[in-house]
Amino acid sequence: MAVTPAAVRTAAVRTATAGAHRHWLLNPIGFNVNQCGHRPLGLARRRMNPRMYRPLVDLSTMEERHIILRYRLDRATIHELCAQLEPALMSPIRQPTGIPPLVQVLSVLHFLASGSFQTTVAMSSGMSQPMFSKILSRVLSALTKHMRCYIVFPEEVDLSTVKGDFYALGHIPNIIGAIDGTHVALVPPKDDEQVYRNRKSYHSMNVQVVCLADQYISHVNAMFPGSVHDAYVMRNSSIPYVMEQLQRQRVWLIGDSGYPNLPWLLTRVRNPRTRAEERYNEAHGRTRRVIERTFGLLKARFRCLHMTGGSLMYSPKKVCQIIVACCMLHNLALRRQVPFLQEDGPDGGVEAAVEPAESEEEEDEEDDPDNRDRVILQYFQ
């Protein structure tokens, strides 16, 4: 059988290729592609297409009602919030793989509103759980930097309007805020587990809030664990300093029996003996009830704060950030007049989010009943 020149060339190529493969197997690092006319199949380069994030949610195609139910804010307010936070949410290098700031804000709003697990929220937003965890920290940090823009105590020029709004509730003059504490459940640190156990036998942060007559939150302190008494939280917050600065205006806060009577804080009479004291207690109850409604609306809007959303599985510092962020967004919704839309089901409304009020034991130290007696004598005789 005659051997053609083409067959000789084919045999030579095969011999060279086999030798190159043997050389690569013995010394893969020193493999030289030029030893043969092509790369081995396992080393062939692929042209990798850049990873592109494809959002699963398009805000422009959603109905306004569905947006409010899912994110607790309307379309225009979400875009306004996103524009404010965008500088902090943009990556230093603007790559096409980055998640847009709007998607970051929407995913965090969904998490706060629903109280769902991170995995569930991440899947609905089209990202991984570790990525959502990073985004949550980034958005919370960016949002809480603007706390002073959203949570503001009334200034002297606004006091007359604030006092008038409170007077319409219970006919007690000169009230500028209702103060109380509420508990937000969390998984405690192992080293300090007992410090976070509250008097209801679950672990929590004790959150002090002062609200106005329209349920606007004017002060929040979420730094203390659940075992701490409400009066202790109040004394170690900025409230005493602020109220003492306003004493020349002769204004008061109103609180339950967990607080002492102070020159700027009115509590109810425990055992009323006169008709005037009974009338005062009735007016006190009508006025102070606004703080309970505020807690109910806050926890109904943001189920992550309510017991039905489970315990927050974060460090106390991050739980504090979540609480403050929810209070800021609550005020933003009130400012922009975003309605609270009740979800379907028996447990979706404000009433279900209001926890039974339990007054703590009154602390006798620092008690100043004379201030309350003067109010009763002057206005309720």
Side-chain angles (χ1 to χ4, degrees):
M1 182 177 181
V3 179
T4 64
V8 173
R9 289 193 300 271
T10 301
V13 170
R14 289 176 177 174
T15 302
T17 303
H21 275 275
R22 284 194 299 272
H23 180 76
W24 175 72
L25 291 173
L26 293 175
N27 186 18
I29 298 178
F31 174 66
N32 187 355
V33 179
N34 295 328
Q35 291 179 353
C36 63
H38 63 279
R39 291 176 178 272
L41 183 60
L43 294 181
R45 284 185 176 177
R46 294 181 183 176
R47 170 171 286 183
M48 300 297 294
N49 294 326
R51 296 179 61 185
M52 298 290 292
Y53 174 77
R54 294 177 175 82
L56 298 182
V57 178
D58 186 1
L59 202 63
S60 62
T61 62
M62 297 174 63
E63 296 182 359
E64 192 74 12
R65 174 181 173 81
H66 183 62
I67 292 174
I68 297 175
L69 280 173
R70 185 166 185 174
Y71 304 114
R72 302 306 193 232
L73 300 175
D74 58 20
R75 193 192 319 270
T77 305
I78 291 175
H79 283 296
E80 178 182 302
L81 178 65
C82 185
Q84 184 182 38
L85 303 182
E86 184 174 2
L89 301 182
M90 290 295 297
S91 301
I93 301 177
R94 300 189 178 186
Q95 299 176 348
T97 57
I99 297 179
L102 178 59
V103 177
Q104 297 182 45
V105 172
L106 289 178
S107 62
V108 172
L109 289 177
H110 184 201
F111 170 77
L112 299 177
S114 64
S116 299
F117 291 103
Q118 283 193 4
T119 303
T120 305
V121 176
M123 290 177 60
S124 65
S125 301
M127 66 184 73
S128 65
Q129 183 274 327
M131 177 59 70
F132 174 76
S133 181
K134 295 178 182 179
I135 287 175
L136 177 62
S137 299
R138 183 186 301 178
V139 174
L140 289 176
S141 178
L143 186 59
T144 51
K145 288 180 181 178
H146 298 276
M147 176 182 175
R148 300 301 179 188
C149 299
Y150 291 88
I151 300 178
V152 183
F153 204 82
E155 299 181 354
E156 292 189 18
V157 294
D158 303 321
L159 291 183
S160 59
T161 301
V162 174
K163 290 188 291 186
D165 293 340
F166 269 106
Y167 186 81
L169 296 179
H171 298 286
I172 299 181
N174 300 330
I175 301 295
I176 63 169
I179 184 172
D180 202 357
T182 187
H183 289 265
V184 174
L186 83 163
V187 177
K190 293 183 179 180
D191 297 338
D192 299 322
E193 182 266 342
Q194 289 300 323
V195 177
Y196 291 88
R197 186 181 296 276
N198 60 31
R199 55 196 170 84
K200 297 182 182 179
S201 298
Y202 68 90
H203 303 96
S204 66
M205 299 294 291
N206 190 355
V207 184
Q208 175 183 277
V209 169
V210 177
C211 76
L212 305 185
D214 59 357
Q215 302 181 24
Y216 180 92
I217 294 175
S218 59
H219 165 86
V220 60
N221 187 327
M223 298 187 298
F224 289 88
S227 64
V228 177
H229 195 280
D230 284 355
Y232 180 88
V233 177
M234 183 267 295
R235 286 196 300 267
N236 289 274
S237 68
S238 61
I239 288 299
Y241 173 78
V242 173
M243 292 303 299
E244 287 169 5
Q245 297 300 310
L246 294 174
Q247 274 309 285
R248 62 178 179 274
Q249 302 289 334
R250 200 187 176 202
V251 293
W252 300 298
L253 296 181
I254 192 165
D256 63 13
S257 300
Y259 298 98
N261 281 288
L262 297 172
W264 45 265
L265 178 59
L266 297 177
T267 63
R268 70 192 312 272
V269 179
R270 282 184 175 269
N271 299 302
R273 298 178 181 179
T274 64
R275 181 55 187 157
E277 291 179 344
E278 291 177 354
R279 285 195 293 267
Y280 166 80
N281 275 359
E282 293 171 0
H284 185 282
R286 290 194 302 269
T287 306
R288 200 195 69 83
R289 203 168 295 133
V290 66
I291 188 68
E292 297 177 2
R293 293 196 298 269
T294 300
F295 287 146
L297 181 57
L298 175 67
K299 294 185 176 183
R301 267 201 172 109
F302 303 104
R303 304 300 292 193
C304 67
L305 303 182
H306 193 261
M307 291 291 293
T308 57
S311 300
L312 291 170
M313 296 183 288
Y314 303 97
S315 67
K317 180 179 179 180
K318 195 165 187 177
V319 171
C320 177
Q321 280 188 313
I322 291 174
I323 295 169
V324 172
C326 290
C327 292
M328 294 171 61
L329 295 171
H330 166 85
N331 284 352
L332 178 60
L334 291 179
R335 182 189 303 170
R336 296 298 298 267
Q337 299 182 348
V338 180
F340 171 73
L341 301 181
Q342 183 171 333
E343 298 179 2
D344 296 333
D347 61 344
V350 175
E351 296 298 328
V354 178
E355 298 174 357
E358 291 188 16
S359 298
E360 301 188 31
E361 292 297 324
E362 185 174 2
E363 294 193 340
D364 293 333
E365 54 182 342
E366 301 183 41
D367 199 53
D368 181 19
D370 292 341
N371 176 55
R372 183 179 61 196
D373 292 343
R374 287 193 295 269
V375 172
I376 296 174
L377 180 64
Q378 185 172 359
Y379 298 105
F380 294 95
Q381 285 291 353

